[in-house]
Amino acid sequence: MTTTSLAKAARPGAERAAAGRGPWRYFLRHRAFYIMLAPGLLYFLVFKYLPLTGSFIAFQDFNIFKGFSGSEWVGLKWFRQLFQYPNFGRLIENTLIISLYQIVFAFPLPILLALMLNEVRQMAYKRIVQTVLYLPHFLSWTIVFGLSYMLLSPTNGLFASIFSGMGAEGGILQQSEYFRPIIIISGIWKEMGWNAIIFIAALAGISPSLYEAAKMDGANRWKQFLHISLPGLLPAIMILLLLKIGHILDSGFEQIYQFLTPAAFETGDVLDTYTYRVGILQGQYSITTAIGLFKSVIGFVLLVIANRVSRWTTGEGIY
Amino acid sequence: MRIKRSMGERTFDAVNAILLAICCLAVAIPLLYVVAGSLSSNEAIMHSEVRLWPVGFNLDNYDFVIHNAVFWRSFGVTIMIVVIGTAINMVMTLLTSYPLSKAWLGGRRPIMLFIIFTMIFQAPMVPMYLLIKELHLLDSIWALIIPSALSAFNMLLCITFLRSIPEELFEAARVDGMNEYRILWRIVTPLSMPINVTLMLFYAVGHWNNYLGPLLYVTDRAKQPLQLYLYNLISQFDMDSAGGESVLELSSRLTPQGLQMATIVVATVPVVIIYPFLQKHFIKGALLGSVKE
């Protein structure tokens, strides 16, 4: 670049004028920016978009030796096979129930926690609580699994030794009826504090003068909560809820896979864990890609519907 | 000045404080139990005598972890991934964020949409696996670094920060004859240190905790990172996978639980050490752009 073009580039007015003279000259003038962007865009293209478009193998009888272009097209064969597969219903049911439990039990708690923290007047106490509750977010699922395993170990875990004789034989971790509660509770343990941050930020963004005015008018804490805090939180709540609904068929593979034992398949085998076992381990790529595609389509449709409903009822939406 | 509060208000405050304390205890107890267990004697663990304080204090379990070559091999793999991965993450994040922090840049809107789209639609597991396979990255630590070279969310945080730097600074640099690459390196990078530290910690913890990547892409025992080693140690404990011969001589004195607990503690310590820095910075990061009027 010559000095004159640099001087021109320094003036925003000059840029707009240059843009008018054709996109190619504009591009050349600002090529440094586009060169900087190139690696990032290439990354997203290769590692985010390519796998998405790679989903077309759900319509192929994909064979690793024949490759993407050589494999035979089979239309909707895998989808038909999927819907006829007797265990598919169980996979869907487990996935949906775990997701619904997460929405009903795990989703409201961070909101409650943020509201409770908001009422604490001693700043030092508030900071201590926050420090303790944010920590588990930074521990891996493996660590959380390890901690749960130690606590719930049938032979000498903490729970077994405290509640000995309370039907802990065989170990809670290996029993299918306890699988879902364990997933939900360990999820709450790990993420409740962290998920509260966004609500704490939203509460901090509410102007204190609103509360003062409400107090003048004689509103007690409950009324203040109902008429000031809750409306202030509503946009954040709706956005997160919508995103969660869009991901209702992803119930957290990393966590569930680690906690899952064959004894708990009845209640805990979800679409993702099945995809991993059958797809990655057994090499049935096409049918498991069909599951992935099914998940994306359902997720997208649900997101659109939920967004409509949300805009219609609360006026909030993500687009 | 203290404002007098009613009885009901004070009861509410007390109940609130107690409930929060219970939450803190619920988070702390599993951690304390595992630390206490790892420091307890073999007999105390076998007879379930451990609560939240070591019983029969000794360091045998740690002695095992310290001398466990398999553990340190995995630890080394993870350190390598954290260092190389985070360095690449930072370069990619700054390279992408700086141009996109220019509101006037042509094509910025479609590019942002292109990136944000990937936050909603995640790459499906099987095609992603096939891609890594096609790229011949299976069983290589690059499979854990390159596919997560850039996080769209962290990039958005960085862009938000960069937009707070006054444009005049860049203009002055351009007038002085600096090109955009030098501006990025000599002006943007040093000025954005607060957000860089935050993002570095985020990325580093992400690499440290990554379990899904190695589960999918790494089957070679010699290359398995710490989290995968830890999971195998806990879920399918056998002395062979735990550490081979070096363990056999110790195994008569130790219980699997003790070894597992000590390994969990050692694998957690690095995260706990950087946690205070992390906390100091992520509050800033998370609250970025939510300034009270």
Side-chain angles (χ1 to χ4, degrees):
Chain A
M1 252 191 219
T2 62
T3 31
T4 41
S5 73
L6 274 169
K8 257 187 212 159
R11 276 178 286 131
E15 280 136 23
R16 244 165 267 132
R21 269 181 271 138
W24 181 241
R25 292 194 57 166
Y26 181 87
F27 174 79
L28 277 184
R29 173 150 301 152
H30 299 292
R31 66 182 176 279
F33 289 126
Y34 297 101
I35 291 170
M36 285 177 200
L37 275 173
L41 295 183
L42 186 70
Y43 164 79
F44 283 113
L45 196 66
V46 172
F47 291 102
K48 303 289 167 183
Y49 282 89
L50 210 56
L52 272 179
T53 52
S55 292
F56 70 78
I57 64 168
F59 305 103
Q60 279 187 334
D61 190 1
F62 181 72
N63 182 317
I64 196 88
F65 301 106
K66 287 183 191 160
F68 296 98
S69 50
S71 293
E72 200 184 329
W73 291 92
V74 292
L76 294 174
K77 175 185 163 190
W78 301 116
F79 290 92
R80 247 177 277 129
Q81 206 173 86
L82 210 54
F83 294 126
Q84 282 159 10
Y85 175 63
N87 275 343
F88 188 65
R90 189 183 78 178
L91 294 175
I92 292 277
E93 191 189 318
N94 289 341
T95 312
L96 281 178
I97 288 178
I98 289 175
S99 274
L100 285 176
Y101 280 180
Q102 282 166 347
I103 291 174
V104 173
F105 297 109
F107 186 79
L109 284 175
I111 304 170
L112 194 66
L113 177 65
L115 287 165
M116 285 166 70
L117 279 168
N118 202 40
E119 297 295 332
V120 176
R121 290 197 180 82
Q122 291 84 6
M123 282 303 133
Y125 185 63
K126 188 174 173 178
R127 254 198 310 278
I128 293 170
V129 173
Q130 283 175 304
T131 304
V132 174
L133 295 186
Y134 294 161
L135 174 68
H137 171 76
F138 297 100
L139 305 178
S140 67
W141 278 119
T142 314
I143 299 283
V144 177
F145 168 70
L147 296 176
S148 316
Y149 189 88
M150 295 302 150
L151 284 181
L152 304 174
S153 159
T155 49
N156 40 25
L158 186 62
F159 281 31
S161 55
I162 293 176
F163 307 106
S164 54
M166 266 184 52
E169 306 90 28
I172 293 176
L173 270 177
Q174 274 75 41
Q175 286 172 28
S176 60
E177 62 263 48
Y178 294 115
F179 184 80
R180 290 168 190 160
I182 288 172
I183 290 296
I184 304 302
I185 292 169
S186 58
I188 291 172
W189 186 85
K190 189 175 188 293
E191 303 293 353
M192 178 167 87
W194 179 256
N195 289 342
I197 287 185
I198 188 159
F199 300 115
I200 293 170
L203 283 173
I206 298 174
S207 165
S209 57
L210 286 175
Y211 289 103
E212 280 155 28
K215 263 183 236 158
M216 293 288 211
D217 293 343
N220 59 21
R221 271 188 173 169
W222 173 248
K223 286 269 164 79
Q224 289 173 33
F225 159 74
L226 210 60
H227 298 293
I228 302 172
S229 305
L230 202 59
L233 286 179
L234 197 63
I237 294 176
M238 287 321 292
I239 286 170
L240 291 176
L241 191 61
L242 288 174
L243 289 176
K244 180 71 200 148
I245 288 172
H247 285 287
I248 205 157
L249 293 180
D250 313 299
S251 29
F253 171 70
E254 211 170 328
Q255 179 194 11
I256 293 178
Y257 175 77
Q258 298 199 24
F259 281 83
L260 193 63
T261 56
F265 276 4
E266 197 56 49
T267 55
D269 197 17
V270 294
L271 289 170
D272 284 336
T273 48
Y274 179 82
T275 302
Y276 174 74
R277 275 203 318 280
V278 174
I280 310 289
L281 296 183
Q282 295 173 18
Q284 296 186 38
Y285 298 126
S286 280
I287 190 158
T288 45
T289 303
I291 294 180
L293 203 57
F294 171 77
K295 271 177 54 187
S296 307
V297 171
I298 298 286
F300 180 72
V301 171
L302 282 176
L303 186 66
V304 170
I305 295 174
N307 196 53
R308 276 276 165 80
V309 173
S310 168
R311 292 200 80 109
W312 184 51
T313 52
T314 65
E316 304 291 342
I318 50 172
Y319 55 86
Chain B
M1 191 185 75
R2 278 184 78 86
I3 303 163
K4 236 184 140 186
R5 284 185 234 117
S6 71
M7 192 64 193
E9 292 256 295
R10 268 182 290 158
T11 319
F12 174 87
D13 284 339
V15 171
N16 191 28
I18 292 169
L19 285 176
L20 288 172
I22 292 173
C23 290
C24 289
L25 279 179
V27 165
I29 284 172
L31 296 166
L32 291 177
Y33 171 67
V34 169
V35 173
S38 69
L39 292 166
S40 297
S41 71
N42 192 7
E43 294 76 42
I45 296 174
M46 295 257 275
H47 298 115
S48 314
E49 288 161 3
V50 183
R51 293 290 183 269
L52 300 178
W53 199 253
V55 178
F57 180 88
N58 71 80
L59 293 169
D60 283 358
N61 292 317
Y62 288 95
D63 195 39
F64 158 79
V65 178
I66 300 287
H67 293 105
N68 182 357
V70 182
F71 170 80
W72 287 113
R73 189 176 62 192
S74 293
F75 196 91
V77 171
T78 296
I79 292 285
M80 199 151 80
I81 292 168
V82 168
V83 172
I84 302 174
T86 308
I88 292 179
N89 288 146
M90 291 315 295
V91 172
M92 291 288 283
T93 306
L94 280 167
L95 266 181
T96 319
S97 301
Y98 175 51
L100 291 177
S101 70
K102 307 280 171 215
W104 50 262
L105 188 75
R108 183 179 173 277
R109 269 183 76 84
I111 291 171
M112 290 296 277
L113 282 177
F114 175 83
I115 293 171
I116 288 168
F117 181 84
T118 66
M119 295 173 78
I120 299 173
F121 293 92
Q122 264 126 31
M125 189 192 292
V126 172
M128 190 68 196
Y129 173 82
L130 292 174
L131 173 69
I132 301 295
K133 201 179 167 112
E134 285 294 302
L135 294 172
H136 301 287
L137 289 175
L138 284 185
D139 267 336
S140 139
I141 64 159
W142 295 107
L144 309 176
I145 293 173
I146 300 173
S148 53
L150 180 55
S151 145
F153 181 77
N154 289 348
M155 189 203 75
L156 291 182
L157 285 182
C158 192
I159 290 175
T160 314
F161 184 90
L162 293 184
R163 296 185 81 166
S164 68
I165 302 175
E167 181 69 26
E168 285 80 9
L169 254 145
F170 306 127
E171 280 174 23
R174 284 183 201 116
V175 172
D176 287 347
M178 263 195 190
N179 63 30
E180 296 299 334
Y181 308 106
R182 275 178 69 85
I183 291 177
L184 177 60
W185 179 238
R186 305 303 292 268
I187 295 181
V188 174
T189 307
L191 279 179
S192 57
M193 256 1 235
I195 192 75
N196 290 346
V197 174
T198 312
L199 297 183
M200 234 150 74
L201 293 170
F202 275 152
Y203 279 126
V205 172
H207 285 299
W208 182 270
N209 285 341
N210 186 7
Y211 171 80
L212 188 61
L215 176 72
L216 291 172
Y217 311 132
V218 179
T219 46
D220 184 354
R221 275 259 168 93
K223 285 171 190 155
Q224 67 180 7
L226 193 56
Q227 302 297 334
L228 200 57
Y229 167 80
L230 192 59
Y231 181 72
N232 292 337
L233 180 78
I234 297 164
S235 71
Q236 42 192 290
F237 189 84
D238 60 284
M239 283 299 173
D240 185 46
S241 68
E245 274 101 57
S246 65
V247 187
L248 289 175
E249 44 164 328
L250 281 163
S251 59
S252 54
R253 286 190 285 130
L254 301 173
T255 53
Q257 270 89 351
L259 303 185
Q260 290 163 340
M261 286 181 180
T263 314
I264 290 174
V265 173
V266 177
T268 312
V269 162
V271 176
V272 174
I273 289 175
I274 67 162
Y275 177 62
F277 305 97
L278 204 57
Q279 204 208 356
K280 192 176 135 215
H281 286 101
F282 72 64
I283 300 291
K284 270 189 232 151
L287 299 187
L288 216 65
S290 66
V291 187
K292 203 189 265 187
E293 68 223 75

